[in-house]
Amino acid sequence: MQPNSKEEYKKIAVDILVDELPSLRAKIGISQDQLAEYVGLSRQTLSAIETRKRPISWQTFLSIVLYFTLNTKTNTTLKLLPGFIEALQKCFDYDESE
């Protein structure tokens, strides 16, 4: 079934990122403590997000995306996550062809 709203695309993008958080952190060798500090969370909150015990806010999601986008070791990885960029673009009605 094809998503048909920005909220559904947000959920897809969030789910993909949350699934990949541990491997993204590992790729650049940072701990939960370090990532949490960079994006303004406690380690406990980040851990709860990674284990899906707590939902991630849209603001936190965007902060984490920005952090990993600006890192040269993870920038390409984000772009290659199946469906991630497409879902993110749909959240903002962004069309590269324009």
Side-chain angles (χ1 to χ4, degrees):
M1 186 156 119
Q2 184 73 0
N4 58 13
S5 72
K6 287 183 183 184
E7 290 305 313
E8 290 174 350
Y9 281 108
K10 279 183 180 182
K11 181 173 178 359
I12 291 167
V14 163
D15 286 346
I16 293 169
L17 181 72
V18 170
D19 286 345
E20 295 297 324
L21 273 177
S23 62
L24 287 166
R25 286 190 302 97
K27 188 166 186 107
I28 57 177
I30 63 169
S31 66
Q32 282 182 338
D33 279 326
Q34 290 167 307
L35 180 58
E37 183 178 331
Y38 295 146
V39 298
L41 301 173
S42 69
R43 187 210 51 80
Q44 292 84 357
T45 298
L46 184 61
S47 176
I49 288 169
E50 284 189 6
T51 59
R52 296 192 180 269
K53 293 177 182 170
R54 179 179 179 153
I56 187 172
S57 73
W58 186 244
Q59 291 80 8
T60 298
F61 167 82
L62 292 174
S63 296
I64 292 172
V65 168
L66 180 61
Y67 177 81
F68 286 118
T69 298
L70 294 175
N71 187 294
T72 57
K73 292 181 181 178
T74 53
N75 180 290
T76 302
T77 303
L78 279 181
K79 292 177 184 176
L80 296 176
L81 292 175
F84 181 72
I85 295 299
E86 295 82 3
L88 200 54
Q89 288 171 335
K90 294 284 187 180
C91 292
F92 297 103
D93 289 331
Y94 178 78
D95 182 358
E96 286 188 318
S97 65
E98 293 178 353

